Amino acid sequence: MLKAIYPGSFDPVTNGHLDIIVRASKLVDRLVVAVLENPSKTSSLFTVDERKEHLKIVTKHLKNVEIQSFNGLMVDFANKINAKVVIRGLRAVTDFESEFQMALINKSLNSEVETFFISTSVEHLYLSSSMVKEIAMFGGNIDTMVPFPIKDFVLEKYKK
Ligand code: ADP
């Protein structure tokens, strides 16, 4: 059984993330979407529990996808859950450098775990969680950027 992990911040989950999740879920037997619990990151819009809840809502139609969170090294978590593959999404060339570096570091930490890159769909090329937050903060339209129910959760945060 091929189990993969798709780690990220997902603050919030975007249509770019969901596209990668859907496509990856067709390639592996089980996909664990893993929210990184980063104690040093105090600037998150959503708590880890909120992000997990959002991911559960938008992936509930995908039967081989589960949502978890982790802290510490991603390769240690991959080991713990017996995932042999790490899924990462690649947008523009700018993603490549850091993603490639991370893949090589992870490989040196645990040679059993392979990183698979999935290229973004062209309509999500410039989409990032930080872009969504910036646009929402200034009252811009994020309808095409996040899955339907997530839009209201984001707008709600900026109302406060
Ligand atoms: P972000 O970079 O938006 O803050 P994350 O840290 O949550 O997002 O990213 C998790 C993974 O999803 C990374 O591999 C990232 O490159 C990928 N990803 C993020 N946005 C997109 C997108 N629009 N298309 C494809 N992959 C994406």
Side-chain angles (χ1 to χ4, degrees):
M1 188 186 83
L2 184 58
K3 193 177 199 182
I5 171 174
Y6 177 39
S9 311
F10 308 106
D11 184 42
V13 57
T14 68
N15 284 334
H17 294 131
L18 187 56
D19 176 52
I20 299 291
I21 294 170
V22 169
R23 289 159 65 199
S25 72
K26 292 179 187 159
L27 301 173
V28 299
D29 298 302
R30 190 130 199 101
L31 180 67
V32 176
V33 181
V35 180
L36 172 64
E37 294 174 18
N38 188 346
S40 65
K41 220 175 172 184
T42 48
S43 57
S44 307
L45 182 63
F46 293 102
T47 65
V48 169
D49 283 344
E50 285 171 328
R51 284 180 259 160
K52 282 169 75 178
E53 199 48 45
H54 299 168
L55 282 160
K56 278 183 191 158
I57 293 170
V58 301
T59 62
K60 68 170 184 291
H61 60 296
L62 303 168
K63 296 300 166 221
N64 64 340
V65 173
E66 67 183 90
I67 314 301
Q68 293 197 27
S69 57
F70 72 103
N71 52 33
L73 290 177
M74 192 275 301
V75 282
D76 289 342
F77 181 66
N79 240 353
K80 190 175 140 198
I81 63 168
N82 202 26
K84 296 278 180 251
V85 166
V86 180
I87 302 286
R88 297 292 288 174
L90 275 184
R91 282 161 294 190
V93 206
T94 42
D95 272 347
F96 181 79
E97 185 90 39
S98 57
E99 290 290 343
F100 192 54
Q101 187 181 20
M102 207 188 310
L104 290 179
I105 290 170
N106 285 336
K107 187 88 182 151
S108 73
L109 291 169
N110 184 346
S111 60
E112 297 289 298
V113 177
E114 286 292 348
T115 302
F116 287 7
F117 293 111
I118 298 183
S119 69
T120 186
S121 296
V122 71
E123 64 270 31
H124 304 131
L125 188 55
Y126 296 107
L127 183 54
S128 67
S129 296
S130 43
M131 192 63 76
V132 167
K133 286 183 274 194
E134 208 157 307
I135 293 170
M137 192 180 0
F138 294 114
N141 189 332
I142 56 166
D143 284 12
T144 59
M145 300 177 186
V146 293
F148 170 69
I150 306 306
K151 177 191 158 188
D152 286 344
F153 299 135
V154 174
L155 297 184
E156 192 58 36
K157 284 277 178 186
Y158 287 111
K159 259 197 233 156
K160 288 174 190 164

Short mmCIF file of all heavy atoms in Angstrom, two decimals, residues 56-110:
data_model
loop_
_atom_site.label_atom_id
_atom_site.label_comp_id
_atom_site.label_asym_id
_atom_site.label_seq_id
_atom_site.Cartn_x
_atom_site.Cartn_y
_atom_site.Cartn_z
N LYS A 56 -10.85 19.04 6.40
CA LYS A 56 -11.80 17.92 6.47
C LYS A 56 -13.04 18.24 5.65
O LYS A 56 -13.56 17.39 4.93
CB LYS A 56 -12.19 17.66 7.93
CG LYS A 56 -11.16 16.81 8.65
CD LYS A 56 -11.57 16.49 10.07
CE LYS A 56 -10.37 15.88 10.79
NZ LYS A 56 -10.44 15.99 12.24
N ILE A 57 -13.52 19.46 5.75
CA ILE A 57 -14.73 19.86 5.02
C ILE A 57 -14.50 19.75 3.50
O ILE A 57 -15.32 19.16 2.79
CB ILE A 57 -15.15 21.32 5.38
CG1 ILE A 57 -15.60 21.39 6.84
CG2 ILE A 57 -16.25 21.82 4.45
CD1 ILE A 57 -15.79 22.81 7.37
N VAL A 58 -13.37 20.27 3.03
CA VAL A 58 -13.19 20.33 1.57
C VAL A 58 -12.71 19.01 0.97
O VAL A 58 -12.67 18.88 -0.26
CB VAL A 58 -12.25 21.50 1.14
CG1 VAL A 58 -12.82 22.83 1.61
CG2 VAL A 58 -10.83 21.32 1.63
N THR A 59 -12.33 18.05 1.82
CA THR A 59 -11.87 16.76 1.27
C THR A 59 -12.81 15.61 1.62
O THR A 59 -12.46 14.45 1.40
CB THR A 59 -10.44 16.39 1.76
OG1 THR A 59 -10.48 16.25 3.19
CG2 THR A 59 -9.41 17.42 1.37
N LYS A 60 -13.98 15.96 2.17
CA LYS A 60 -14.82 14.86 2.68
C LYS A 60 -15.30 13.90 1.58
O LYS A 60 -15.62 12.75 1.86
CB LYS A 60 -15.95 15.34 3.58
CG LYS A 60 -17.04 16.12 2.95
CD LYS A 60 -18.17 16.27 3.99
CE LYS A 60 -19.37 16.96 3.42
NZ LYS A 60 -19.13 18.39 3.13
N HIS A 61 -15.27 14.36 0.32
CA HIS A 61 -15.68 13.48 -0.78
C HIS A 61 -14.53 12.56 -1.23
O HIS A 61 -14.74 11.68 -2.07
CB HIS A 61 -16.15 14.33 -1.97
CG HIS A 61 -15.09 15.25 -2.51
ND1 HIS A 61 -14.55 16.29 -1.78
CD2 HIS A 61 -14.47 15.28 -3.72
CE1 HIS A 61 -13.64 16.91 -2.51
NE2 HIS A 61 -13.58 16.32 -3.69
N LEU A 62 -13.35 12.76 -0.68
CA LEU A 62 -12.19 11.95 -1.09
C LEU A 62 -11.94 10.87 -0.04
O LEU A 62 -11.42 11.16 1.04
CB LEU A 62 -10.95 12.85 -1.27
CG LEU A 62 -11.10 13.99 -2.27
CD1 LEU A 62 -9.95 14.98 -2.14
CD2 LEU A 62 -11.18 13.44 -3.70
N LYS A 63 -12.32 9.66 -0.38
CA LYS A 63 -12.36 8.60 0.63
C LYS A 63 -10.98 8.14 1.13
O LYS A 63 -10.86 7.61 2.24
CB LYS A 63 -13.16 7.39 0.12
CG LYS A 63 -14.61 7.71 -0.14
CD LYS A 63 -15.34 8.20 1.13
CE LYS A 63 -16.67 8.84 0.82
NZ LYS A 63 -16.97 10.05 1.60
N ASN A 64 -9.94 8.34 0.33
CA ASN A 64 -8.60 7.88 0.77
C ASN A 64 -7.73 9.01 1.33
O ASN A 64 -6.53 8.87 1.45
CB ASN A 64 -7.87 7.15 -0.38
CG ASN A 64 -7.58 8.06 -1.55
OD1 ASN A 64 -8.22 9.10 -1.70
ND2 ASN A 64 -6.63 7.66 -2.38
N VAL A 65 -8.40 10.11 1.68
CA VAL A 65 -7.66 11.25 2.22
C VAL A 65 -7.99 11.44 3.69
O VAL A 65 -9.16 11.39 4.08
CB VAL A 65 -8.01 12.55 1.44
CG1 VAL A 65 -7.37 13.77 2.09
CG2 VAL A 65 -7.54 12.42 -0.02
N GLU A 66 -6.97 11.61 4.53
CA GLU A 66 -7.23 11.92 5.93
C GLU A 66 -6.41 13.14 6.35
O GLU A 66 -5.39 13.45 5.73
CB GLU A 66 -6.92 10.72 6.84
CG GLU A 66 -5.46 10.36 6.91
CD GLU A 66 -5.21 9.13 7.77
OE1 GLU A 66 -5.23 8.00 7.21
OE2 GLU A 66 -4.97 9.30 8.97
N ILE A 67 -6.86 13.80 7.39
CA ILE A 67 -6.23 15.05 7.83
C ILE A 67 -5.60 14.84 9.20
O ILE A 67 -6.24 14.33 10.12
CB ILE A 67 -7.28 16.20 7.93
CG1 ILE A 67 -8.18 16.25 6.69
CG2 ILE A 67 -6.57 17.53 8.20
CD1 ILE A 67 -7.48 16.46 5.37
N GLN A 68 -4.34 15.24 9.31
CA GLN A 68 -3.66 15.15 10.60
C GLN A 68 -2.82 16.41 10.79
O GLN A 68 -2.71 17.23 9.87
CB GLN A 68 -2.76 13.92 10.63
CG GLN A 68 -3.53 12.61 10.60
CD GLN A 68 -2.70 11.42 11.05
OE1 GLN A 68 -1.77 11.56 11.82
NE2 GLN A 68 -3.03 10.25 10.54
N SER A 69 -2.18 16.53 11.95
CA SER A 69 -1.22 17.63 12.14
C SER A 69 0.03 17.04 12.78
O SER A 69 0.00 15.93 13.33
CB SER A 69 -1.81 18.73 13.02
OG SER A 69 -2.21 18.20 14.25
N PHE A 70 1.12 17.77 12.67
CA PHE A 70 2.37 17.26 13.23
C PHE A 70 3.26 18.43 13.64
O PHE A 70 3.09 19.55 13.16
CB PHE A 70 3.11 16.39 12.20
CG PHE A 70 3.73 17.15 11.07
CD1 PHE A 70 5.10 17.40 11.03
CD2 PHE A 70 2.95 17.64 10.03
CE1 PHE A 70 5.68 18.11 9.98
CE2 PHE A 70 3.52 18.36 8.98
CZ PHE A 70 4.88 18.59 8.95
N ASN A 71 4.18 18.14 14.56
CA ASN A 71 5.24 19.11 14.83
C ASN A 71 6.57 18.36 14.78
O ASN A 71 6.61 17.15 14.70
CB ASN A 71 5.03 19.85 16.16
CG ASN A 71 4.80 18.90 17.30
OD1 ASN A 71 5.35 17.81 17.32
ND2 ASN A 71 3.95 19.30 18.24
N GLY A 72 7.63 19.12 14.74
CA GLY A 72 8.94 18.49 14.61
C GLY A 72 9.26 18.23 13.15
O GLY A 72 8.68 18.85 12.26
N LEU A 73 10.16 17.29 12.92
CA LEU A 73 10.61 17.03 11.55
C LEU A 73 9.55 16.27 10.77
O LEU A 73 9.01 15.26 11.24
CB LEU A 73 11.89 16.20 11.57
CG LEU A 73 13.17 16.90 12.05
CD1 LEU A 73 14.34 15.91 12.06
CD2 LEU A 73 13.49 18.09 11.17
N MET A 74 9.32 16.72 9.56
CA MET A 74 8.31 16.08 8.71
C MET A 74 8.69 14.62 8.44
O MET A 74 7.83 13.74 8.44
CB MET A 74 8.19 16.88 7.40
CG MET A 74 7.02 16.52 6.54
SD MET A 74 7.36 15.17 5.50
CE MET A 74 8.75 15.79 4.60
N VAL A 75 10.00 14.35 8.23
CA VAL A 75 10.40 12.97 7.92
C VAL A 75 10.16 12.04 9.11
O VAL A 75 9.88 10.85 8.92
CB VAL A 75 11.87 12.86 7.45
CG1 VAL A 75 12.02 13.28 6.00
CG2 VAL A 75 12.83 13.59 8.34
N ASP A 76 10.26 12.58 10.32
CA ASP A 76 9.96 11.75 11.50
C ASP A 76 8.48 11.40 11.54
O ASP A 76 8.10 10.27 11.85
CB ASP A 76 10.35 12.49 12.80
CG ASP A 76 11.86 12.60 12.95
OD1 ASP A 76 12.58 11.84 12.27
OD2 ASP A 76 12.31 13.46 13.74
N PHE A 77 7.65 12.39 11.19
CA PHE A 77 6.20 12.14 11.16
C PHE A 77 5.87 11.14 10.05
O PHE A 77 5.07 10.22 10.25
CB PHE A 77 5.43 13.44 10.97
CG PHE A 77 3.95 13.26 10.95
CD1 PHE A 77 3.26 12.84 12.10
CD2 PHE A 77 3.21 13.48 9.79
CE1 PHE A 77 1.89 12.64 12.08
CE2 PHE A 77 1.84 13.29 9.76
CZ PHE A 77 1.17 12.87 10.91
N ALA A 78 6.53 11.31 8.90
CA ALA A 78 6.31 10.38 7.78
C ALA A 78 6.63 8.95 8.22
O ALA A 78 5.88 8.00 7.95
CB ALA A 78 7.15 10.79 6.57
N ASN A 79 7.75 8.82 8.93
CA ASN A 79 8.17 7.52 9.45
C ASN A 79 7.12 6.93 10.38
O ASN A 79 6.76 5.76 10.27
CB ASN A 79 9.45 7.72 10.27
CG ASN A 79 10.58 6.92 9.71
OD1 ASN A 79 10.39 6.12 8.80
ND2 ASN A 79 11.76 7.12 10.27
N LYS A 80 6.65 7.80 11.29
CA LYS A 80 5.70 7.37 12.31
C LYS A 80 4.42 6.81 11.69
O LYS A 80 3.86 5.81 12.16
CB LYS A 80 5.38 8.58 13.20
CG LYS A 80 4.59 8.27 14.44
CD LYS A 80 4.44 9.51 15.30
CE LYS A 80 3.05 9.57 15.89
NZ LYS A 80 2.68 10.88 16.37
N ILE A 81 3.96 7.45 10.61
CA ILE A 81 2.71 6.99 10.00
C ILE A 81 2.96 6.05 8.81
O ILE A 81 2.06 5.67 8.10
CB ILE A 81 1.81 8.18 9.56
CG1 ILE A 81 2.49 9.03 8.49
CG2 ILE A 81 1.40 9.01 10.76
CD1 ILE A 81 1.56 10.03 7.82
N ASN A 82 4.25 5.73 8.61
CA ASN A 82 4.64 4.79 7.56
C ASN A 82 4.33 5.31 6.15
O ASN A 82 3.90 4.54 5.28
CB ASN A 82 3.99 3.43 7.82
CG ASN A 82 4.74 2.31 7.13
OD1 ASN A 82 5.95 2.44 6.88
ND2 ASN A 82 4.05 1.24 6.78
N ALA A 83 4.55 6.61 5.94
CA ALA A 83 4.37 7.19 4.60
C ALA A 83 5.72 7.20 3.89
O ALA A 83 6.72 7.64 4.45
CB ALA A 83 3.83 8.61 4.72
N LYS A 84 5.72 6.71 2.68
CA LYS A 84 6.98 6.57 1.93
C LYS A 84 7.19 7.70 0.94
O LYS A 84 8.25 7.84 0.35
CB LYS A 84 7.00 5.23 1.17
CG LYS A 84 6.99 4.02 2.08
CD LYS A 84 8.40 3.72 2.60
CE LYS A 84 8.45 2.52 3.52
NZ LYS A 84 8.70 2.91 4.91
N VAL A 85 6.13 8.48 0.73
CA VAL A 85 6.19 9.53 -0.29
C VAL A 85 5.72 10.86 0.30
O VAL A 85 4.75 10.90 1.06
CB VAL A 85 5.29 9.14 -1.49
CG1 VAL A 85 5.05 10.32 -2.41
CG2 VAL A 85 5.90 7.98 -2.26
N VAL A 86 6.45 11.92 -0.05
CA VAL A 86 6.04 13.28 0.32
C VAL A 86 5.57 13.97 -0.95
O VAL A 86 6.29 13.97 -1.95
CB VAL A 86 7.21 14.10 0.91
CG1 VAL A 86 6.74 15.51 1.28
CG2 VAL A 86 7.82 13.40 2.10
N ILE A 87 4.38 14.52 -0.92
CA ILE A 87 3.86 15.27 -2.07
C ILE A 87 4.10 16.76 -1.85
O ILE A 87 3.83 17.28 -0.75
CB ILE A 87 2.32 15.05 -2.22
CG1 ILE A 87 1.96 13.57 -2.37
CG2 ILE A 87 1.75 15.91 -3.34
CD1 ILE A 87 2.28 12.96 -3.70
N ARG A 88 4.62 17.43 -2.85
CA ARG A 88 4.76 18.88 -2.80
C ARG A 88 4.24 19.47 -4.10
O ARG A 88 4.37 18.84 -5.16
CB ARG A 88 6.21 19.30 -2.60
CG ARG A 88 6.82 18.84 -1.30
CD ARG A 88 6.23 19.49 -0.09
NE ARG A 88 6.62 20.89 0.07
CZ ARG A 88 6.12 21.70 1.00
NH1 ARG A 88 5.19 21.29 1.84
NH2 ARG A 88 6.54 22.95 1.08
N GLY A 89 3.66 20.64 -4.02
CA GLY A 89 3.17 21.31 -5.23
C GLY A 89 4.21 22.31 -5.71
O GLY A 89 4.87 22.94 -4.89
N LEU A 90 4.37 22.41 -6.99
CA LEU A 90 5.31 23.40 -7.54
C LEU A 90 4.56 24.42 -8.37
O LEU A 90 3.83 24.07 -9.29
CB LEU A 90 6.33 22.71 -8.45
CG LEU A 90 7.57 22.10 -7.83
CD1 LEU A 90 8.47 21.58 -8.94
CD2 LEU A 90 8.32 23.07 -6.95
N ARG A 91 4.75 25.68 -8.02
CA ARG A 91 4.15 26.74 -8.81
C ARG A 91 5.21 27.25 -9.79
O ARG A 91 5.60 26.54 -10.69
CB ARG A 91 3.63 27.87 -7.89
CG ARG A 91 2.32 27.54 -7.25
CD ARG A 91 2.05 28.39 -6.05
NE ARG A 91 2.99 28.10 -4.97
CZ ARG A 91 2.90 28.54 -3.73
NH1 ARG A 91 1.91 29.30 -3.40
NH2 ARG A 91 3.78 28.20 -2.82
N ALA A 92 5.68 28.45 -9.60
CA ALA A 92 6.66 29.01 -10.54
C ALA A 92 8.06 28.54 -10.19
O ALA A 92 8.27 27.78 -9.24
CB ALA A 92 6.57 30.52 -10.50
N VAL A 93 9.02 29.00 -10.93
CA VAL A 93 10.43 28.66 -10.71
C VAL A 93 10.84 29.03 -9.29
O VAL A 93 11.69 28.39 -8.68
CB VAL A 93 11.35 29.46 -11.67
CG1 VAL A 93 12.64 28.73 -11.91
CG2 VAL A 93 10.66 29.81 -12.94
N THR A 94 10.20 30.07 -8.77
CA THR A 94 10.55 30.55 -7.42
C THR A 94 10.35 29.47 -6.36
O THR A 94 11.03 29.45 -5.35
CB THR A 94 9.70 31.78 -7.07
OG1 THR A 94 8.37 31.52 -7.50
CG2 THR A 94 10.22 33.02 -7.75
N ASP A 95 9.38 28.58 -6.54
CA ASP A 95 9.18 27.47 -5.60
C ASP A 95 10.31 26.46 -5.69
O ASP A 95 10.63 25.78 -4.72
CB ASP A 95 7.88 26.70 -5.93
CG ASP A 95 6.66 27.28 -5.25
OD1 ASP A 95 6.82 28.10 -4.34
OD2 ASP A 95 5.55 26.89 -5.65
N PHE A 96 10.89 26.35 -6.89
CA PHE A 96 11.78 25.23 -7.17
C PHE A 96 12.98 25.18 -6.22
O PHE A 96 13.27 24.15 -5.62
CB PHE A 96 12.26 25.25 -8.63
CG PHE A 96 13.16 24.09 -8.94
CD1 PHE A 96 12.64 22.84 -9.18
CD2 PHE A 96 14.55 24.25 -8.94
CE1 PHE A 96 13.46 21.76 -9.44
CE2 PHE A 96 15.38 23.18 -9.19
CZ PHE A 96 14.83 21.93 -9.45
N GLU A 97 13.65 26.31 -6.08
CA GLU A 97 14.87 26.37 -5.28
C GLU A 97 14.64 25.84 -3.85
O GLU A 97 15.34 24.94 -3.38
CB GLU A 97 15.36 27.82 -5.25
CG GLU A 97 16.69 28.03 -4.55
CD GLU A 97 17.87 27.89 -5.51
OE1 GLU A 97 17.74 28.36 -6.65
OE2 GLU A 97 18.89 27.30 -5.11
N SER A 98 13.66 26.42 -3.18
CA SER A 98 13.44 26.02 -1.78
C SER A 98 12.87 24.60 -1.68
O SER A 98 13.22 23.84 -0.78
CB SER A 98 12.51 27.01 -1.09
OG SER A 98 11.31 27.09 -1.78
N GLU A 99 12.01 24.23 -2.63
CA GLU A 99 11.43 22.88 -2.59
C GLU A 99 12.51 21.81 -2.85
O GLU A 99 12.52 20.76 -2.23
CB GLU A 99 10.30 22.74 -3.63
CG GLU A 99 9.05 23.52 -3.29
CD GLU A 99 8.27 22.96 -2.09
OE1 GLU A 99 8.50 21.80 -1.72
OE2 GLU A 99 7.47 23.71 -1.53
N PHE A 100 13.41 22.14 -3.77
CA PHE A 100 14.47 21.21 -4.12
C PHE A 100 15.41 21.03 -2.92
O PHE A 100 15.79 19.91 -2.56
CB PHE A 100 15.23 21.75 -5.33
CG PHE A 100 16.16 20.77 -5.98
CD1 PHE A 100 15.72 19.52 -6.40
CD2 PHE A 100 17.50 21.09 -6.18
CE1 PHE A 100 16.58 18.62 -7.00
CE2 PHE A 100 18.37 20.19 -6.77
CZ PHE A 100 17.91 18.95 -7.19
N GLN A 101 15.71 22.15 -2.28
CA GLN A 101 16.57 22.12 -1.09
C GLN A 101 15.93 21.27 0.01
O GLN A 101 16.57 20.40 0.61
CB GLN A 101 16.76 23.55 -0.60
CG GLN A 101 17.77 23.68 0.51
CD GLN A 101 17.89 25.14 0.97
OE1 GLN A 101 17.01 25.96 0.73
NE2 GLN A 101 18.98 25.44 1.61
N MET A 102 14.64 21.49 0.22
CA MET A 102 13.94 20.75 1.26
C MET A 102 13.90 19.25 0.95
O MET A 102 14.10 18.41 1.83
CB MET A 102 12.51 21.29 1.40
CG MET A 102 11.94 21.08 2.79
SD MET A 102 10.20 21.49 2.91
CE MET A 102 10.11 23.09 2.17
N ALA A 103 13.68 18.94 -0.33
CA ALA A 103 13.63 17.53 -0.73
C ALA A 103 14.98 16.86 -0.47
O ALA A 103 15.04 15.72 0.02
CB ALA A 103 13.26 17.42 -2.20
N LEU A 104 16.07 17.56 -0.78
CA LEU A 104 17.40 16.98 -0.58
C LEU A 104 17.71 16.83 0.91
O LEU A 104 18.29 15.82 1.33
CB LEU A 104 18.46 17.85 -1.26
CG LEU A 104 18.44 17.83 -2.79
CD1 LEU A 104 19.52 18.75 -3.35
CD2 LEU A 104 18.61 16.43 -3.35
N ILE A 105 17.31 17.82 1.69
CA ILE A 105 17.55 17.72 3.14
C ILE A 105 16.74 16.56 3.72
O ILE A 105 17.27 15.75 4.49
CB ILE A 105 17.18 19.06 3.85
CG1 ILE A 105 18.21 20.12 3.47
CG2 ILE A 105 17.12 18.88 5.36
CD1 ILE A 105 17.87 21.52 3.89
N ASN A 106 15.48 16.47 3.31
CA ASN A 106 14.66 15.36 3.82
C ASN A 106 15.24 14.01 3.42
O ASN A 106 15.22 13.05 4.20
CB ASN A 106 13.22 15.51 3.32
CG ASN A 106 12.48 16.61 4.06
OD1 ASN A 106 12.84 16.96 5.18
ND2 ASN A 106 11.48 17.18 3.42
N LYS A 107 15.77 13.96 2.22
CA LYS A 107 16.37 12.72 1.73
C LYS A 107 17.59 12.35 2.58
O LYS A 107 17.84 11.18 2.88
CB LYS A 107 16.79 12.93 0.26
CG LYS A 107 17.27 11.70 -0.44
CD LYS A 107 16.11 10.97 -1.05
CE LYS A 107 16.61 9.71 -1.72
NZ LYS A 107 15.60 8.66 -1.71
N SER A 108 18.37 13.37 2.98
CA SER A 108 19.55 13.09 3.79
C SER A 108 19.15 12.68 5.21
O SER A 108 19.86 11.94 5.88
CB SER A 108 20.50 14.29 3.81
OG SER A 108 19.96 15.30 4.60
N LEU A 109 17.99 13.17 5.66
CA LEU A 109 17.53 12.80 7.00
C LEU A 109 16.90 11.41 7.01
O LEU A 109 16.98 10.69 8.00
CB LEU A 109 16.49 13.82 7.49
CG LEU A 109 17.01 15.23 7.80
CD1 LEU A 109 15.84 16.19 8.02
CD2 LEU A 109 17.92 15.22 9.03
N ASN A 110 16.25 11.07 5.92
CA ASN A 110 15.61 9.75 5.84
C ASN A 110 15.57 9.30 4.37
O ASN A 110 14.71 9.75 3.61
CB ASN A 110 14.19 9.82 6.42
CG ASN A 110 13.53 8.45 6.44
OD1 ASN A 110 13.99 7.51 5.80
ND2 ASN A 110 12.44 8.35 7.18
#
